[in-house]
């Protein structure tokens, strides 16, 4: 026993006890930030508020909801989006085209859910979460489209939109509003909503 | 006298006597039967005839009397005449019967004459009655008839009764006579019969005895002969067939006695007997002669063998000749044996000379041994001193072993304590492992809470997006709200990141916990191994203690043995001295043995010469 002790330093139990006690105290304090932490946060916020706001250039802008669909960023005009909703209780419907995944119940309203990848004939690449639904609506049409995740809301200057790109494939020009400078593909929701192809009327 | 008759004559005589008596008895019986017959005839002829005639006469008299009554009662003369004629006929019958009576009557004839006189007296009365009837004087006739005639008839009947009585008496006397004759005859026959039986028995016994006595003697002699007893004496006197038989047997016994005496002599080894056969067919005599010849031949050969000549040849009479075959075998065996003996004696003689030379060598080596023994005695003295030193050393070893026993006992106790401590360590390790497992389970609970928080953050994010959508729809009035919504979104993002960090930390904790569990498990195993090792060490120390105890005992025994060894060495020294003395005696003894071997050698030479005398 003595020999092993000489080879390897014995555990400093006092030190261990101290560390455990510190941890215990920290946990008991809860997740409330400490005094230093609080000051730091406040300083950051002050810095952010003190920053000079960007000069607002008077140009035409549109507000878009930005979302991800298999590594690609898409945008859609927020005026057509009624709300975003987590995908829950999807019921598949038989005798429908492949792009119609099924129907969901959103607060009492039954809406169809469309997979844009299949609708645009985009290649199936990798796996996504596909757990969010953007509910598009116009005066005479309402349905949900599937998204991996919602990135947020941003404004895009209309002048910055480029009409199509030679690298862009799949999405027909008729559904495209343009591509923003940072590669955001802005879809024309008005066209999609008014497209006859999306209306399914099949009798069996 | 009987002995001199032949058996045939004797038997004839005996049976003749018996037959003679039979004839006598028969004749007497016949004669007596004849006389009895005569008496019976008399009995029949006399009284029977007389009484018959008298009875007939009486009947006719009664008929006459009744006829006379009819006469008296007759009505007419015709009837009278017929009745008278019947009375006359009856009268004639009466006379003729009375005549027979008179002839045969054995009593006095006057009795019969009186009856006749009375009859004659009745006749005038009858005539008077008839005359009276003829003259029709019936009443007088009736009175005469009832008076005189009846009296007369009754007188006649009385006389006749007397005659019948006499005749009956006479018959009785005849009967008695005949009975007497019968009795006499039976008595005479019984006497004669008994006499005949006695004589027949006597004769039969005499004849039987005269035949069986000599035969019994012959049987007795034959029985004795059958049992081999020759002492039977036979003296035959009679001249009949049994005498002849006994004399033949006597001759046979004589001849057998002669043979027996000859055989007795042969059995005693006397061969000078001369047996002559009595006839051509005397097989026994011839066999005796042959046997004597055979034995003489064998004796001659035996004599030659006695004279050391083994070159004789004997031919057995047949394959079943036991003596001959045995004799031939014996001669062959003797010949073989003598040859073997010669060879053996040769070997013996050679061996004796070899023994002689060996003994000489032994004598010299014994002298050398004596010298060696004195050297050994000196060596043993030195060994004794060495044994003393080793005894002292053994004492030291014994003391050291006792100390070692005590130390090993304390070592065993220390190991037991170690095992106990190790067990406690094991228990503590187990509680540590359990605490760690609990920690791990609690961190899992934290993970679940974090998942919930993450979900909340996600939902907050969505809410923020929806809020901004609604704000943008509100136009200019909603601009402020857009900022708030963005702020909410950024908060949600931060929450998500924080949860991701917590998840990472939880993973780290989980890894650390697993490592701790592993370490504890290994520690526990190590402690168990340590326990096993300690137990092994304890066992080893106990075994060591036992061995050391044994060693201590062994050392004590060695000490005792060394002491005994010392004593033993003393004894060895005295024994060596005895051996030295014995060796000196051995030297003397060996010299004597040498002389004996020399004698043996000479004996062998002598035997060799003796055996060579046999001719083979």
């Amino acid at each position: 026993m003595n020999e092993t002790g000489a080879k390897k330093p014995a555990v400093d139990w006092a030190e261990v006890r101290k560390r455990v006690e510190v941890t215990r105290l920290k946990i008991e304090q809860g997740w409330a930030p400490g005094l230093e932490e609080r000051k730091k946060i406040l300083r950051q916020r002050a810095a952010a508020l003190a920053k000079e706001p960007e000069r607002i250039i008077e140009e035409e802008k549109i507000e878009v909801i930005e979302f991800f669909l298999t590594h690609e960023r898409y945008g859609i005009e927020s005026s057509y989006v009624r709300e975003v909703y987590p995908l829950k209780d999807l019921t598949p419907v038989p005798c429908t085209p492949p792009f119609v995944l099924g129907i969901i119940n959103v607060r009492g309203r039954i809406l169809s859910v469309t997979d844009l990848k299949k609708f645009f004939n985009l290649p199936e690449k990798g796996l996504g979460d596909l757990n969010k639904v953007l509910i598009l609506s116009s005066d005479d049409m309402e349905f949900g489209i599937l998204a991996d995740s919602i990135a947020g809301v941003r404004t895009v200057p209309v002048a910055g939109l480029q009409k199509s790109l030679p690298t862009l494939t799949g999405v027909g020009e008729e559904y495209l509003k343009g591509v923003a400078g940072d590669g955001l593909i802005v879809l024309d929701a008005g066209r999609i909503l008014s497209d006859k192809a999306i209306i399914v009327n099949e009798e069996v | 006298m009987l002995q001199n008759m032949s058996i045939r004559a004797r038997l004839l005589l005996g049976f003749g006597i018996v037959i003679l008596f039979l004839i006598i008895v028969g004749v007497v019986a016949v004669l007596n039967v004849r006389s009895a017959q005569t008496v019976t005839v008399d009995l029949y002829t006399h009284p029977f005839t007389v009484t018959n005639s008298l009875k007939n006469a009486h009947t006719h008299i009664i008929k006459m009397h009744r006829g006379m009554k009819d006469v008296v009662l007759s009505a007419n003369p015709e009837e009278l005449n017929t009745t008278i004629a019947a009375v006359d006929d009856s009268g004639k019958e009466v006379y003729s019967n009375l005549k027979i009576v008179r002839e045969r009557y054995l009593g006095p004839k006057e009795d019969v004459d009186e009856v006749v006189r009375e009859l004659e007296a009745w006749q005038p009365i009858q005539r008077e009655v008839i005359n009276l009837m003829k003259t029709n004087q019936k009443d007088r006739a009736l009175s005469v008839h009832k008076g005189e005639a009846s009296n007369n008839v009754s007188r006649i009947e009385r006389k006749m009764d007397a005659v019948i009585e006499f005749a009956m008496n006479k018959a009785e006397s005849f009967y008695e006579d005949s009975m007497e004759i019968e009795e006499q005859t039976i008595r005479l026959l019984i006497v004669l019969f008994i006499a005949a039986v006695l004589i027949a028995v006597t004769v039969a016994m005499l004849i039987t005895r005269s035949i069986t006595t000599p035969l019994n003697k012959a049987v007795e002699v034959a029985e004795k002969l059958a049992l081999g007893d020759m002492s039977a004496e036979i003296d035959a006197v009679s001249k009949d067939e049994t005498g002849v038989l006994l004399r033949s047997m006597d001759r046979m016994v004589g001849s057998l006695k002669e043979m027996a005496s000859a055989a007795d002599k042969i059995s005693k080894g006397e061969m000078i007997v001369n047996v002559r056969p009595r006839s051509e067919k005397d097989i026994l005599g011839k066999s005796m002669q042959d046997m004597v010849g055979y034995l003489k031949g064998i004796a001659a050969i035996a004599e030659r063998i006695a004279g050391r000549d083994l070159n004789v040849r004997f031919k057995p009479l047949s394959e079943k000749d036991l003596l001959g075959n045995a004799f031939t075998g014996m001669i062959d065996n003797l010949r073989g044996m003598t040859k073997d003996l010669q060879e053996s004696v040769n070997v013996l003689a050679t061996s004796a000379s070899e023994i002689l030379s060996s003994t000489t060598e032994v004598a010299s080596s014994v002298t050398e041994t004596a010298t060696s023994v004195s050297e050994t005695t000196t060596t043993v003295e030195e060994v004794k001193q060495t044994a003393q030193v080793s005894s002292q050393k053994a004492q030291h070893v014994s003391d050291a072993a006792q100390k070692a026993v005590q130390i090993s006992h304390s070592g065993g106790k220390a190991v037991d304590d170690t095992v106990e401590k190790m067990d406690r360590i094991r228990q503590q390790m187990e509680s540590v492992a359990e605490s760690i497992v609990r920690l791990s389970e609690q961190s899992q609970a934290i993970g679940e809470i974090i998942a919930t928080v993450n979900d909340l953050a996600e939902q907050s994010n969505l809410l923020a997006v929806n809020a901004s959508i609604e704000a943008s729809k509100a136009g200019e009035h909603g601009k402020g709200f857009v900022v708030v919504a963005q702020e909410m979104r950024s908060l949600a993002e931060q929450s998500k990141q924080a949860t991701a960090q917590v998840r990472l930390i939880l993973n780290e904790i989980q890894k650390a916990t697993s490592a701790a569990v592993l370490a504890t498990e290994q520690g526990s195993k190590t402690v168990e191994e340590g326990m096993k090792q300690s137990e092994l060490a304890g066992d080893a120390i106990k075994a060591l203690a036992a061995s050391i105890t044994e060693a201590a005992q062994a050392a004590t025994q060695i000490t005792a043995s060394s002491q005994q060894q010392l004593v033993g060495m003393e004894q060895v020294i005295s024994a060596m001295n005895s051996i030295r003395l014995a060796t000196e005696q051995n030297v003397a003894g060996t010299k004597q043995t040498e002389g004996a071997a020399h004698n043996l050698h000479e004996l062998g030479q002598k035997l060799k010469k003796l055996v060579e005398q046999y001719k083979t």
Side-chain angles (χ1 to χ4, degrees), chain A residues 67-80:
Chain A
F67 65 94
F68 287 90
L69 194 60
T70 57
H71 311 304
E72 284 186 11
R73 281 192 296 141
Y74 290 86
I76 202 156
E77 280 175 87
S78 64
S79 53
Y80 290 103

Side-chain angles (χ1 to χ4, degrees), chain A residues 15-149:
Chain A
E15 174 68 23
V16 168
R17 272 201 295 278
K18 213 169 113 188
R19 274 165 66 186
V20 170
E21 188 63 19
V22 167
T23 317
R24 192 180 64 79
L25 283 171
K26 277 183 180 170
I27 289 167
E28 275 178 359
Q29 268 179 3
W31 294 107
L35 207 67
E36 289 291 312
E37 193 82 1
R38 219 175 285 174
K39 279 180 181 169
K40 198 175 155 192
I41 292 168
L42 287 173
R43 263 200 297 278
Q44 279 176 352
R45 280 189 190 168
L49 290 172
K51 215 162 68 179
E52 197 181 348
E54 277 181 40
R55 194 162 295 174
I56 298 155
I57 306 153
E58 287 299 323
E59 53 183 345
E60 199 186 355
K61 282 182 180 177
I62 54 166
E63 195 171 49
V64 294
I65 309 286
E66 187 184 351
F67 65 94
F68 287 90
L69 194 60
T70 57
H71 311 304
E72 284 186 11
R73 281 192 296 141
Y74 290 86
I76 202 156
E77 280 175 87
S78 64
S79 53
Y80 290 103
V81 178
R82 212 166 64 82
E83 64 172 310
V84 289
Y85 198 75
L87 180 66
K88 281 191 287 188
D89 303 330
L90 176 77
T91 310
V93 180
C95 302
T96 49
F99 59 83
V100 179
L101 280 179
I103 51 171
I104 53 166
N105 183 346
V106 182
R107 286 190 280 274
R109 281 179 297 153
I110 307 298
L111 298 174
S112 66
V113 178
T114 303
D115 188 354
L116 282 183
K117 280 183 287 175
K118 292 214 175 79
F119 189 67
F120 295 149
N121 293 319
L122 294 176
E124 295 278 349
K125 248 196 247 171
L127 291 167
D129 286 346
L130 289 176
N131 57 356
K132 300 286 186 296
V133 180
L134 283 101
I135 299 163
L136 306 182
S137 68
S138 63
D139 294 337
D140 52 357
M141 193 67 180
E142 194 172 35
F143 62 91
I145 59 170
L146 216 56
D148 281 339
S149 60

Side-chain angles (χ1 to χ4, degrees), chain B residues 547-563:
Chain B
S547 307
I548 289 168
T549 313
E550 280 178 20
Q553 286 170 357
T556 317
Q557 284 173 356
I558 288 169
T559 314
S561 305
S562 296
Q563 293 293 335

Side-chain angles (χ1 to χ4, degrees), chain A residues 1 31 45 63 65 78-86 107 131-132 137 149-154, chain B residues 422 425 450 458-459 461-466 468-473 482 486-487 489 491 493 496 502:
Chain A
M1 296 296 267
W31 294 107
R45 280 189 190 168
E63 195 171 49
I65 309 286
S78 64
S79 53
Y80 290 103
V81 178
R82 212 166 64 82
E83 64 172 310
V84 289
Y85 198 75
R107 286 190 280 274
N131 57 356
K132 300 286 186 296
S137 68
S149 60
I150 309 296
V153 182
R154 61 184 279 193
Chain B
M422 289 296 259
I425 292 171
I450 290 299
E458 191 88 357
Q459 287 180 21
N461 191 20
L462 274 185
L463 271 177
V465 171
N466 281 332
S468 59
I469 291 167
E470 293 295 330
S472 67
K473 278 178 186 168
V482 168
Q486 272 180 345
E487 203 64 31
R489 230 192 110 253
L491 278 175
E493 279 297 322
K496 270 180 89 175
V502 170

Side-chain angles (χ1 to χ4, degrees), chain B residues 21-225:
Chain B
F21 269 91
L22 270 176
I23 290 164
I24 291 166
V25 169
V27 168
V28 170
V30 166
L31 286 176
N32 277 293
V33 167
R34 180 72 54 81
S35 73
Q37 196 185 9
T38 322
V39 173
T40 313
V41 167
D42 283 350
L43 181 69
Y44 177 75
T45 45
H46 174 248
F48 188 70
T49 325
V50 171
T51 41
N52 253 5
S53 301
L54 277 171
K55 290 255 168 83
N56 278 337
H58 184 233
T59 312
H60 284 286
I61 286 166
I62 289 165
K63 273 183 183 172
M64 279 168 73
H65 188 59
R66 205 178 58 222
M68 286 312 294
K69 194 169 80 188
D70 290 342
V71 167
V72 175
L73 294 174
S74 61
N76 49 36
E78 274 179 42
E79 200 181 335
L80 186 70
N81 286 334
T82 31
T83 317
I84 290 166
V87 170
D88 285 342
D89 288 342
S90 295
K92 281 170 192 166
E93 282 288 324
V94 170
Y95 278 107
S96 68
N97 278 313
L98 282 176
K99 198 177 169 189
I100 294 166
V101 170
R102 203 175 180 284
E103 277 171 14
R104 302 275 176 92
Y105 191 52
L106 294 173
K109 306 276 184 193
E110 288 83 25
D111 293 348
V112 184
D113 290 341
E114 268 180 45
V115 174
V116 173
R117 260 196 315 276
E118 287 295 334
L119 269 175
E120 279 168 1
W122 189 24
Q123 274 174 354
I125 297 167
Q126 283 173 9
R127 270 189 309 271
E128 192 187 350
V129 170
I130 291 162
N131 286 331
L132 282 172
M133 279 308 290
K134 275 176 182 175
T135 55
N136 275 336
Q137 296 175 331
K138 280 187 183 179
D139 297 335
R140 275 201 58 197
L142 189 62
S143 68
V144 170
H145 176 70
K146 282 193 178 172
E148 285 176 43
S150 289
N151 290 340
N152 199 277
V153 168
S154 56
R155 271 199 308 275
I156 291 166
E157 281 178 343
R158 269 201 306 275
K159 298 286 181 191
M160 281 181 84
D161 283 344
V163 174
I164 286 168
E165 197 182 348
F166 181 84
M168 291 306 280
N169 286 344
K170 198 68 187 174
E172 255 174 49
S173 79
F174 273 128
Y175 174 73
E176 275 164 17
D177 283 354
S178 106
M179 287 305 282
E180 200 177 336
I181 288 166
E182 198 187 333
E183 247 173 63
Q184 274 176 2
T185 312
I186 287 166
R187 237 177 279 145
L188 185 66
L189 278 175
I190 285 168
V191 168
L192 278 173
F193 187 70
I194 287 167
V197 166
L198 283 174
I199 287 164
V201 166
T202 316
V203 167
M205 278 176 73
L206 276 174
I207 291 168
T208 311
R209 197 185 294 163
S210 74
I211 295 167
T212 49
T213 315
L215 275 179
N216 278 339
K217 197 163 191 182
V219 167
E220 198 183 322
V221 170
E223 282 285 337
K224 276 186 175 176
L225 281 179

Side-chain angles (χ1 to χ4, degrees), chain B residues 500-535:
Chain B
Q501 275 178 4
V502 170
R503 197 174 288 282
L504 278 173
I505 291 162
L506 271 178
N507 275 340
E508 288 298 317
I509 289 172
Q510 197 60 47
K511 278 179 192 163
T513 313
S514 299
V517 167
L518 269 175
T520 317
E521 194 188 350
Q522 279 178 352
S524 184
K525 278 181 183 166
T526 315
V527 167
E528 269 180 30
E529 277 172 22
M531 269 178 78
K532 278 181 190 164
Q533 289 295 333
S534 304
E535 277 166 8

Side-chain angles (χ1 to χ4, degrees), chain B residues 335-353 600-601 603-609 611-612:
Chain B
R335 207 177 291 141
M337 204 170 75
T338 313
K339 272 181 191 165
D340 290 349
L341 204 66
Q342 279 170 358
E343 283 166 19
S344 305
V345 165
N346 282 338
V347 174
L348 192 72
T350 325
S351 303
S353 34
L600 195 68
H601 177 66
L603 183 71
Q605 295 300 326
K606 273 184 193 169
L607 271 176
K608 210 172 168 184
K609 277 176 195 164
V611 171
E612 272 163 7

